[in-house]
Amino acid sequence: MLKIEAVDAYYGDLQVLWGICLDVGESELVALIGSNGSGKSTLLRVVMGLVRVASGEVYFKERCLNELKPHEIVAEGLSMVPEGRRLFPKMTVLGNLEMGAFLPEARRGRTETLEWIYGIFPILKERSHQAAGSLSGGEQQMLAIARALMSRNRFLLLDEMSLGLAPLLVQQIFRVIAEINRQGIGVLMVEQNVPMTLRIAQRAYIIEIGRVAGHGKAKDLLGDPRVREAFLGMEKG
């Protein structure tokens, strides 16, 4: 479904990605793991057209995305939940959700999609007329995910969903991500909580200093002593 072939990317004159190759199948949940500053979030931004590809290609459903603008990439079927949520705090929960349904097809089906969203996130239905900025951190994260789903796209890019959340809320967010994936939505996620990520992902790629340093089945990586040692080091740091 998503295929990245030998991608290089820069911030100005600084190269941040070197020859990245990876793929995500339809309805698959794939994780990007690695230390802070390794290029994981940059790779998501490359896919969404927020950072331009210097060389290589990004394909989604066999269409090259390299020259498309971010809104055109969303129209192709990709949605992203950025780090930091990026909600409209003074707007209501419902208003934020409706902002996610800006594509013509999404607008036509937004009533049906909204009911589906409320089935996954019942707390958002309860809070629908409340200002988004008054929600708890976990509720805001749910709203950010739900807003992306309002596009009716079948592929999500998730960037640091557990950042700043209490452990119980982190578990809740991970259950939601796993449920969304079970409903047939493909996911490529960046996440610092490596053990929990590998428990819900099917496969994972390890990114180090802008390069793919390893990849495999998530359960195999979780049991690899070298990977476990690196994860513990990342969690302490």
Side-chain angles (χ1 to χ4, degrees), residues 29 174-175 177-178 181 189 195-202 218:
L29 197 166
F174 271 80
R175 284 196 296 269
I177 294 170
N181 180 242
M189 65 182 295
M196 287 188 70
T197 302
L198 292 180
R199 289 187 184 100
I200 67 168
Q202 285 97 52

Side-chain angles (χ1 to χ4, degrees), residues 109-178:
R110 65 183 176 184
T111 300
E112 177 185 344
T113 308
L114 198 58
E115 287 307 308
W116 174 61
I117 292 291
Y118 286 157
I120 300 173
F121 304 98
I123 191 65
L124 297 183
K125 186 172 186 178
E126 295 178 25
R127 305 276 196 268
S128 60
H129 298 295
Q130 190 172 322
S134 68
L135 301 179
S136 70
E139 290 166 350
Q140 288 188 27
Q141 196 62 278
M142 291 178 196
L143 178 55
I145 296 171
R147 183 179 60 183
L149 292 173
M150 285 295 294
S151 67
R152 296 173 69 90
N153 286 339
R154 306 302 294 177
F155 196 97
L156 281 181
L157 305 176
L158 304 177
D159 194 3
E160 300 290 8
M161 292 297 95
S162 73
L163 192 66
L165 299 182
L168 286 177
L169 291 175
V170 171
Q171 292 178 21
Q172 189 174 4
I173 291 295
F174 271 80
R175 284 196 296 269
V176 166
I177 294 170

Side-chain angles (χ1 to χ4, degrees), residues 1-2 24-29 60-61 73-80 103 105 112-113 116-117 120 148-157 179-188:
M1 199 172 200
L2 177 67
V24 184
E26 189 170 0
S27 303
E28 190 176 24
L29 197 166
F60 184 66
K61 295 181 179 176
I73 293 172
V74 174
E76 288 295 314
L78 286 154
S79 294
M80 180 174 173
L103 297 173
E105 182 181 350
E112 177 185 344
T113 308
W116 174 61
I117 292 291
I120 300 173
L149 292 173
M150 285 295 294
S151 67
R152 296 173 69 90
N153 286 339
R154 306 302 294 177
F155 196 97
L156 281 181
L157 305 176
E179 175 58 28
I180 290 168
N181 180 242
R182 280 193 292 269
Q183 295 195 29
I185 295 175
V187 177
L188 178 63

Side-chain angles (χ1 to χ4, degrees), residues 31-44:
L32 298 177
I33 59 177
S35 60
N36 289 333
S38 60
K40 307 183 300 298
S41 295
T42 299
L43 183 56
L44 297 191

